[in-house]
Amino acid sequence: MTRRSVARAPAKAILLGEHFVVSGTRAVSASLGLYAYAEAEELKLWPSEIVSIELGLRVTIPGPDLSYSGPAELQPIAAVLRALRARDFDIPAFRLTIRSEIPDGAGLGSSAAASAAAALALAGLVGSDMSRDELFMVTMEGERVAHGNPSGVDPVTVVNGGVILFRKGDGVIDRHERLEGVSLVVADSGIRRSTMGPVSSVLSLLERLGSVKRHLLSAVDEIVGAAWESIRVRSFERLGMLMNINHGLLSAIGVSTPELEEIVYAARRAGALGAKLTGAGLGGSVIALAPFGSEGAVQEAMGRRARWATALYAGVQGASLISEA
Ligand code: PMV
């Protein structure tokens, strides 16, 4: 019988601290109820194949050394496969099919989710268990190829799931299973961008700030810490206010756009307690914290200015194997 294995990993949203987290502040992120799926199927002979349904790509991996010379979009997945092999996972000839509900380039962690699902599916094919740490490290290899200088917040979130207080180097500092008592509305502006561009322009702006950099980072870290406490005690008005301040700082460092501002203000006018861009910015998505009962109005107001807007479950289970045979 042909061996087969299917895994999935969730999207993520950064609730506070993006960009600044690359320079050492804490960040808060949550897994979202939107998924990337990977199906691995054992083949009798090499070459192997990687198929991406959404990207419309089908690439060939000629042999067990996993060398790859295909399109850049699938390079992160190839890096994940090599990271698995470097950890002594004995990968047979395979067909790996990736399909995803998570839009690419929208700040919702599509690349990390696809990498984590791919790694789990392939490990499942050979019946190997992976620890969360091991899955994080392998997924991080894909993120390095996709983003250059990642803090690790995306892979940590899609691998572990939940609502996470994160710091680069430390990983998960604290974690809640889910965001309870309030709704998270996500709107995709439809404007696509890479993560690498905004990350490097923010890093160079921070360098040019001189001593102001230290104060700015310390203010953001303080805001993130206060937000984590607000989540713990369910003080959502305070959390919303802190998200608004965080958005103002992201705007100040140049990663907002008039389109994102329109969505943010529409959400606030419709009753959101807080609204901000999420992820690298310069396009991508906006999140809003909506009290129960007002999520419909917030979603509609954001949706009129975005490609789509929807309330998503925040704090779903992390990457998992769905089936193996
Ligand atoms: O790729 P995105 O849009 O989810 O952004 C990642 C978050 C950043 O803080 C901008 C970069 C990082 O590695 O933390």
Side-chain angles (χ1 to χ4, degrees), residues 227-273:
W228 188 252
E229 178 59 15
S230 305
I231 291 172
R232 196 181 69 75
V233 301
R234 298 194 183 194
S235 173
F236 297 122
E237 269 185 31
R238 185 168 155 83
L239 177 61
M241 185 174 75
L242 293 164
M243 287 169 67
N244 288 342
I245 295 171
N246 189 172
H247 177 77
L249 292 173
L250 288 165
S251 193
I253 60 168
V255 293
S256 190
T257 66
E259 295 85 352
L260 296 179
E261 293 296 328
E262 276 214 18
I263 303 172
V264 163
Y265 279 92
R268 291 178 189 165
R269 279 195 300 265
L273 299 171

Side-chain angles (χ1 to χ4, degrees), residues 156-179:
V156 155
T157 311
V158 309
V159 165
N160 291 286
V163 183
I164 286 174
L165 181 65
F166 170 90
R167 194 196 298 272
K168 183 176 166 181
D170 295 341
V172 180
I173 305 172
D174 201 359
R175 181 176 178 278
H176 297 299
E177 213 52 61
R178 60 189 66 85
L179 188 66

Side-chain angles (χ1 to χ4, degrees), residues 12 14 17-22 106-109 143 147 149-154 193 195 199 278-281:
K12 72 95 208 7
I14 298 176
E18 53 272 268
H19 281 292
F20 303 103
V21 70
V22 177
L108 299 176
E143 288 297 276
H147 302 323
N149 182 20
S151 65
V153 65
D154 287 18
R193 74 327 176 244
T195 298
V199 167
T278 185

Side-chain angles (χ1 to χ4, degrees), residues 58-305:
R58 177 181 293 267
V59 300
T60 296
I61 309 279
D65 69 343
L66 301 173
S67 61
Y68 176 87
S69 56
E73 291 94 322
L74 292 181
Q75 256 167 22
I77 301 289
V80 165
L81 301 183
R82 286 194 297 277
L84 273 178
R85 202 202 41 202
R87 289 168 183 275
D88 291 334
F89 284 87
D90 187 16
I91 300 175
F94 61 87
R95 177 179 302 115
L96 180 67
T97 306
I98 293 163
R99 66 191 89 226
S100 186
E101 302 163 353
I102 312 167
D104 234 21
L108 299 176
S110 61
S111 61
S115 289
L120 258 191
L122 272 166
L125 196 59
V126 291
S128 298
D129 251 0
M130 285 185 96
S131 68
R132 297 250 170 239
D133 277 355
E134 204 164 21
L135 182 56
F136 163 73
M137 282 189 269
V138 167
T139 304
M140 191 68 179
E141 289 305 315
E143 288 297 276
R144 286 204 178 91
V145 172
H147 302 323
N149 182 20
S151 65
V153 65
D154 287 18
V156 155
T157 311
V158 309
V159 165
N160 291 286
V163 183
I164 286 174
L165 181 65
F166 170 90
R167 194 196 298 272
K168 183 176 166 181
D170 295 341
V172 180
I173 305 172
D174 201 359
R175 181 176 178 278
H176 297 299
E177 213 52 61
R178 60 189 66 85
L179 188 66
E180 276 173 317
V182 73
S183 290
L184 191 75
V185 183
V186 179
D188 172 4
S189 70
I191 303 167
R192 299 290 173 249
R193 74 327 176 244
S194 78
T195 298
M196 228 185 258
V199 167
S200 68
S201 60
V202 167
L203 285 174
S204 87
L205 177 137
L206 290 177
E207 281 321 306
R208 280 179 278 134
L209 283 181
S211 64
V212 173
K213 174 180 171 183
R214 185 165 49 86
H215 294 291
L216 184 55
L217 292 179
S218 136
V220 171
D221 195 60
E222 212 41 52
I223 290 166
V224 173
W228 188 252
E229 178 59 15
S230 305
I231 291 172
R232 196 181 69 75
V233 301
R234 298 194 183 194
S235 173
F236 297 122
E237 269 185 31
R238 185 168 155 83
L239 177 61
M241 185 174 75
L242 293 164
M243 287 169 67
N244 288 342
I245 295 171
N246 189 172
H247 177 77
L249 292 173
L250 288 165
S251 193
I253 60 168
V255 293
S256 190
T257 66
E259 295 85 352
L260 296 179
E261 293 296 328
E262 276 214 18
I263 303 172
V264 163
Y265 279 92
R268 291 178 189 165
R269 279 195 300 265
L273 299 171
K276 63 180 279 293
L277 71 84
T278 185
L282 292 182
S285 300
V286 169
I287 53 170
L289 201 65
F292 289 155
S294 78
E295 56 277 79
V298 170
Q299 176 178 324
E300 204 201 303
M302 295 172 92
R304 262 188 260 121
R305 291 156 182 90

